[in-house]
Amino acid sequence: MSQTEKRLNLNGREIILVGTAHISKESIDQSVEVIRTEMPDCVAIELDEGRYESMKNPESWKNLDIVQVLKEGKGFVLMANLVLSSFQKRMGADVGVKPGDEMKAAITVAEELNIPCEMVDRPIQTTLRRAWGKNNLWGKCKLLATLISTAFTKEEVSPEQIEQLKNSNEMDSMMAELAEYLPTVKEVLIDERDQYLATSIWKAKGNKIVAVLGAGHLPGVVKHLEALAKGEESEDISEISSLPKPGIGGKIAGWIFPVAIVALLVAGMFVGGAQYSLQMLIQWILWNGSLSALGALLALGHPLTILVGFVGAPVATLNPLLGVGLFTGLVQAWVRKPKVQDLETLNDDVSTFKGYYKNRLLKVLLVFFLSSIGGVIGNFIAVPTMISGLF
C-alpha cells in the first residue's frame, strides 16, 4: 500500500483514506484506481456542497452578486477565496492539472460504478470567516500580508515538487511553519477541518468507505477516526461548523474608537471650550475621512466613491456595526457595475496587479479593502493626536 493510503478497520467498518496533492496527475490516477479496486459502499470527497456545485457548473461565477456579498460582510471571504483559487490554478498550470481534478475524477468513477458520493468538507465560507474572526488585529494583518504575497507570487513548481507535498516530512515541515507564523489559521484550516472531515467520514453510510482528501489531513483524520471509534470523541461538530462568537474583548474592542473619540471631544470641551472641541472634531474627521478617501483613490475608485469614503469613514467609526468599506464598495459597484466579462476573466485577473484595476469586480473589492484600511490608520493617527492636544 502507498504511503499516501491509510486503511483503518474500526468497529467492523473499513475506511480507506487516499491522501492527495490537489494538483497532482498521480493523485488523479491513484484515486480512480483505489475506487475501482475496492468497490466501496460510499466515496467521501474533501469538498463541500458549494464547491461541488461550482465544479459541476463552472459558469456559476456569472451569477455572483458583488453587492450582496458586501452587504453580507463577505468581502474578505470572497477575496481570500479568489486569491487561494488563483494560486492553486497557477501551480496546477505548471504540471498540466487543474486544482481538484482528483476529486472530480473520484466523483466521475464513483458515478460510473453507481457508488454514492458524500461531500464531507466544511463550507469554505465558514472556514475562511472563522480564520478571520478568530484572529486578533496582528493576526489579521499577517493573514492579509500572506494573501497579498500569495496573490502576486510568480513561483513555479515542478511535478516532483508537487509529489513531495504528499510526503509526510515535507508536509510536517510546512505545517510547523504555518503553525509558527499563523497559529490560529493553522488551527482553523487544518486542525478543525481534520475533526470535521473525520466526523463526516465516520457518519457516511456503509461498512466500506473510500475517502479522497488532501495528504496533509491524513494524520489528523486518522487520529480523530480512531477516537470516534473508541467513543473518546463526540460526533457533534456544531461548534466548529458555526462562525465564532466575538468574546468580551472583541466586543469591547469594537467600541474603543467610538468611546475614545466621544470622550476626547467632551474632555476638549472642558479644557478649551466648545470651539476647541470643534477643532478636535474637525481634526479627527480630516484624518479619518482623508485617509479613507486616499485608500479609495489609490484603488482608482470613482470620484463619488472617494467622496463617500471621506464622508462615510467618521460615520462608520462611530458605529462598529458598519464599515466604511461597505459604503465605498457599494457606491463603486453602483457607478461602475461589474460586467459579465469581468466575471469571465476573474481567475486570471486576480493573479496580476494590473488585473485588480482593470477588472471592475476586483476593483470593488480593492476599494473596499483600501478605504477600510485607510480609515483604520486615520483613527490610529487621530486619537493619539487628539490626546496630545489636551496636555
Side-chain angles (χ1 to χ4, degrees):
M1 179 177 290
S2 166
Q3 66 171 344
T4 56
E5 289 180 34
K6 300 291 183 182
R7 189 180 296 267
L8 306 175
N9 290 288
L10 303 170
N11 298 358
R13 302 175 74 199
E14 187 175 19
I15 300 176
I16 303 160
L17 304 176
V18 182
T20 71
H22 293 312
I23 47 177
S24 162
K25 177 66 170 62
E26 285 73 10
S27 289
I28 297 173
D29 297 336
Q30 181 186 13
S31 301
V32 170
E33 181 183 354
V34 171
I35 294 171
R36 288 192 182 280
T37 302
E38 299 294 341
M39 290 297 295
D41 299 318
C42 177
V43 174
I45 305 291
E46 187 202 334
L47 286 175
D48 60 78
E49 291 295 339
R51 282 183 289 162
Y52 176 51
E53 289 300 321
S54 296
M55 185 176 290
K56 290 196 300 181
N57 178 21
E59 301 297 309
S60 60
W61 277 111
K62 295 181 181 179
N63 299 321
L64 179 66
D65 185 349
I66 185 63
V67 172
Q68 192 63 29
V69 168
L70 295 179
K71 285 182 177 179
E72 293 176 358
K74 297 179 180 178
F76 168 76
V77 173
L78 176 59
M79 179 67 84
N81 201 2
L82 287 172
V83 169
L84 294 174
S85 296
S86 174
F87 178 68
Q88 280 197 324
K89 183 179 178 181
R90 293 200 307 278
M91 288 183 66
D94 294 325
V95 294
V97 177
K98 295 179 180 178
D101 272 357
E102 86 282 16
M103 304 295 176
K104 187 182 296 185
I107 294 170
T108 299
V109 72
E111 290 176 344
E112 176 189 321
L113 299 172
N114 293 317
I115 300 173
C117 287
E118 292 198 21
M119 306 302 122
V120 294
D121 201 2
R122 182 170 62 183
I124 184 65
Q125 292 86 355
T126 300
T127 295
L128 292 175
R129 294 183 76 177
R130 283 183 66 83
W132 181 255
K134 294 189 71 172
N135 263 295
N136 56 25
L137 178 61
W138 177 234
K140 285 181 169 68
C141 291
K142 291 166 71 176
L143 180 54
L144 280 174
T146 301
L147 284 172
I148 292 170
S149 64
T150 299
F152 302 114
T153 183
K154 299 299 181 182
E155 180 182 2
E156 296 183 359
V157 292
S158 66
E160 292 75 21
Q161 288 174 310
I162 293 297
E163 292 310 309
Q164 286 176 3
L165 293 177
K166 296 187 289 185
N167 182 288
S168 59
N169 292 331
E170 289 286 335
M171 194 58 67
D172 290 345
S173 176
M174 289 176 62
M175 290 303 103
E177 288 181 17
L178 179 61
E180 182 177 351
Y181 184 63
L182 290 169
T184 302
V185 173
K186 189 264 182 182
E187 175 191 343
V188 174
L189 293 185
I190 306 299
D191 299 340
E192 287 186 359
R193 286 179 61 225
D194 285 348
Q195 181 185 356
Y196 191 101
L197 287 165
T199 305
S200 299
I201 292 169
W202 183 251
K203 290 179 179 179
K205 297 178 181 178
N207 291 320
K208 188 175 187 179
I209 311 294
V210 167
V212 181
L213 65 161
H217 290 292
L218 283 183
V221 168
V222 169
K223 182 187 73 172
H224 286 292
L225 282 171
E226 291 175 342
L228 286 164
K230 295 175 183 177
E232 297 173 351
E233 189 171 297
S234 171
E235 296 182 19
D236 182 10
I237 50 176
S238 57
E239 195 279 326
I240 61 172
S241 301
S242 58
L243 299 181
K245 295 180 180 179
I248 298 298
K251 293 178 180 178
I252 293 174
W255 288 97
I256 287 178
F257 276 124
V259 171
I261 289 166
V262 172
L264 287 170
L265 292 175
V266 172
M269 188 171 295
F270 282 104
V271 171
Q275 187 66 29
Y276 184 70
S277 181
L278 178 61
Q279 290 177 358
M280 292 178 64
L281 175 63
I282 293 173
Q283 184 182 49
W284 165 62
I285 290 175
L286 287 175
W287 275 115
N288 184 219
S290 296
L291 289 184
S292 178
L294 178 61
L297 177 62
L298 291 175
L300 299 185
H302 188 274
L304 182 58
T305 302
I306 297 171
L307 176 61
V308 167
F310 179 80
V311 175
V315 176
T317 296
L318 294 176
N319 187 343
L321 300 179
L322 298 174
V324 66
L326 173 63
F327 298 147
T328 55
L330 290 177
V331 171
Q332 182 66 31
W334 175 60
V335 295
R336 290 287 187 268
K337 187 175 181 180
K339 300 178 179 179
V340 172
Q341 179 182 353
D342 297 309
L343 298 169
E344 291 175 340
T345 61
L346 193 57
N347 282 325
D348 292 326
D349 291 336
V350 77
S351 63
T352 67
F353 187 76
K354 181 180 178 181
Y356 280 83
Y357 288 92
K358 181 183 71 172
N359 189 296
R360 291 189 174 196
L361 188 144
L362 290 177
K363 182 175 283 192
V364 170
L365 292 175
L366 195 61
V367 164
F368 169 84
F369 278 108
L370 293 184
S371 61
S372 297
I373 292 172
V376 171
I377 294 174
N379 281 328
F380 274 111
I381 295 174
V383 170
T385 302
M386 293 166 70
I387 292 174
S388 65
L390 292 175
F391 302 98

